[in-house]
Amino acid sequence: MTIGTEHEFSINDSGFHALPVSDLVLKEICGSYESDILFGDVRLAKELQKTVIEMVPRSPAEEIMALESQLTGGLSRFYRIFGNRYRLLGLGMHPTARVHEIPVWDHDEGEYYRTYDRLFDIRQHGWLNIQALQINLSFRDSRELISRFNRIRSLLPYLIAVTASSTVVEGRLTGSCDNRLLFYRQNQKELPAICGGIIPEKIRTVADHKRRMEGIWRELRSRDAGILCEEWVDSAGVIVRFSRRCLEIKALDEQESIRSDMAFAAFVCPLLRCHSLPVETGQDALLDMTERAIRQGTAGLKDELRQLYDLAWRNATPDERNYLPVVRDRIENGCLAERIAGRISRGEALTTVLTDMETCLRENRAYGI
């Protein structure tokens, strides 16, 4: 199985104010307003919001250490070029950005953004202030696609719980751990089948999935939005990318460091190799657990997460075991959102917390370890 990841970082000044400069960053590197460029061992790309830049390994890999090496090399090169001019920050949302202050990318692909805006109004947090960690896992054939899709679907509540990192919105604690998903699952509410409450329905055949997508595309065409009739319009927590022959996990908040991002890839992969998993498969149960994970992080699912961790450890490769202690730490001591909320609730300044998060990214160090 090959693994790929996608990482979204906000671009900030020294005070962690989000800067709408992704176009200027890309232009300074390559000389023109490109939306996607090769940058050593990684690709850098724009996102919808100009305050965020995406970093993707140059190529998928079979070992997580190889992905980490590509990404840390890309970050090191970024810092060599820009020094302290910009501070990159992970987390599932920018913690202080306000939607009206975030401009949309305006150099190409405007027809897609105008269509989305007409249908859903993209000037809201679920569109303009989200930073996801995406994990892409290959499949060889239809049987493997179906098996892995259904297993990932059943793991989503647990993955959401341990990766939640968006507890602060517009400078304030909200009481929920994963505000990115609270906003994200509503951002296309006019066509609810696109997101499906994060948890997609179980599929029994590839035709099941294709029928679901055809239904979404019919709705889009009926609204004069045929330009969006592509596989990437699917916004569920896990989607099928036939063009890449992979399953794309979209439900995860970006973490504070590449090391931590890699740890969650190392958690998923051995669980896909287990003969069986002690997890719920019913839609209602999964939706209920997802709600608990979004609100509470790991606090409401600790026993289940410990059981999954033990299974992951027993089925992990040496490469994966190198990263799994990060996941153990999040299970036992709380996801990033829980720990950020704890520090702020005890009176620490948000900028102090964010300085620690930025240092973790720069040094590729998992927070708390």
Side-chain angles (χ1 to χ4, degrees):
M1 178 168 59
T2 59
I3 311 157
T5 53
E6 303 174 39
H7 308 262
E8 297 169 357
F9 306 117
S10 62
I11 311 166
N12 301 273
D13 65 14
S14 59
F16 294 106
H17 302 107
L19 300 174
V21 295
S22 61
D23 54 348
L24 301 180
V25 167
L26 292 165
K27 184 179 181 183
E28 185 164 339
I29 293 170
C30 72
S32 59
Y33 290 121
E34 300 296 328
S35 61
D36 183 303
I37 64 171
L38 191 60
F39 186 63
D41 288 335
V42 299
R43 301 196 73 87
L44 293 181
K46 55 84 175 171
E47 283 294 317
L48 172 63
Q49 64 271 44
K50 288 174 73 173
T51 55
V52 167
I53 197 155
E54 182 184 59
M55 185 174 291
V56 179
R58 186 171 184 169
S59 59
E62 293 185 357
E63 291 203 337
I64 293 169
M65 191 174 294
L67 289 182
E68 182 184 34
S69 177
Q70 292 181 61
L71 290 157
T72 54
L75 278 171
S76 295
R77 189 175 185 187
F78 183 94
Y79 291 129
R80 283 198 302 273
I81 292 173
F82 295 104
N84 292 320
R85 199 185 340 163
Y86 303 126
R87 303 179 85 172
L88 297 181
L89 188 67
L91 311 183
M93 293 178 65
H94 191 284
T96 63
R98 300 175 186 275
V99 173
H100 69 273
E101 299 170 347
I102 304 175
V104 172
W105 178 267
D106 55 0
H107 296 286
D108 58 9
E109 299 188 1
E111 65 275 22
Y112 295 98
Y113 301 151
R114 285 190 294 273
T115 303
Y116 270 125
D117 195 36
R118 174 172 58 82
L119 294 179
F120 307 117
D121 180 13
I122 63 175
R123 298 188 181 279
Q124 53 182 302
H125 277 303
W127 288 97
L128 288 181
N129 188 8
I130 53 174
Q131 294 169 212
L133 161 65
Q134 295 179 186
I135 300 176
N136 304 322
L137 303 170
S138 66
F139 59 82
R140 289 173 296 186
D141 52 33
S142 297
R143 184 187 60 81
E144 198 166 75
L145 181 162
I146 294 163
S147 171
R148 288 182 177 169
F149 180 94
N150 289 332
R151 182 160 287 195
I152 292 168
R153 165 188 172 270
S154 294
L155 288 170
L156 285 176
Y158 309 103
L159 298 176
I160 291 166
V162 291
T163 60
S165 68
S166 50
T167 188
V168 181
V169 179
E170 297 191 1
R172 296 185 299 276
L173 291 173
T174 69
S176 292
C177 286
D178 199 325
N179 286 282
R180 182 183 70 89
L181 286 184
L182 285 178
F183 288 113
Y184 177 81
R185 70 183 182 185
Q186 294 296 317
N187 73 355
Q188 297 171 85
K189 61 184 181 298
E190 293 81 359
L191 273 74
I194 292 180
C195 185
I198 303 299
I199 307 295
E201 293 281 355
K202 185 177 182 179
I203 59 174
R204 290 171 177 79
T205 66
V206 172
D208 281 350
H209 175 74
K210 290 184 175 179
R211 277 193 293 271
R212 172 177 171 262
M213 294 306 300
E214 282 294 342
I216 291 170
W217 292 341
R218 276 196 303 274
E219 281 280 349
L220 289 169
R221 285 190 287 264
S222 74
R223 301 178 187 217
D224 194 27
I227 191 174
L228 304 180
C229 291
E230 303 285 350
E231 63 184 10
W232 44 252
V233 79
D234 191 357
S235 298
V238 56
I239 71 170
V240 183
R241 296 296 298 266
F242 290 102
S243 60
R244 301 178 185 174
R245 295 190 65 78
C246 74
L247 299 169
E248 185 176 284
I249 305 175
K250 298 170 67 70
L252 315 180
D253 274 5
E254 184 64 59
Q255 299 299 291
E256 82 289 1
S257 67
I258 297 298
R259 185 75 177 176
S260 297
D261 288 335
M262 296 295 101
F264 293 105
F267 186 44
V268 173
C269 290
L271 292 176
L272 296 182
R273 292 194 294 269
C274 291
H275 178 67
S276 63
L277 287 179
V279 293
E280 295 281 355
T281 59
Q283 188 73 3
D284 289 344
L286 291 173
L287 289 171
D288 287 346
M289 285 192 297
T290 296
E291 195 67 29
R292 202 185 322 163
I294 287 172
R295 303 292 180 179
Q296 301 178 37
T298 65
L301 293 168
K302 261 193 208 304
D303 290 342
E304 298 94 327
L305 284 166
R306 286 169 178 149
Q307 190 174 12
L308 287 174
Y309 182 86
D310 290 343
L311 280 171
W313 184 264
R314 290 201 297 270
N315 287 274
T317 64
D319 175 57
E320 292 158 353
R321 287 187 176 185
N322 188 42
Y323 298 90
L324 282 176
V326 177
V327 180
R328 166 67 80 177
D329 179 69
R330 296 288 154 92
I331 293 170
E332 296 302 328
N333 298 308
C335 65
L336 206 54
E338 292 170 88
R339 291 158 90 164
I340 290 171
R343 289 180 63 177
I344 294 172
S345 296
R346 291 190 295 270
E348 286 196 55
L350 178 58
T351 53
T352 301
V353 177
L354 297 184
T355 297
D356 287 348
M357 298 297 113
E358 190 265 347
T359 301
C360 286
L361 181 61
R362 191 180 287 262
E363 296 179 356
N364 192 33
R365 177 169 49 83
Y367 176 75
I369 296 182

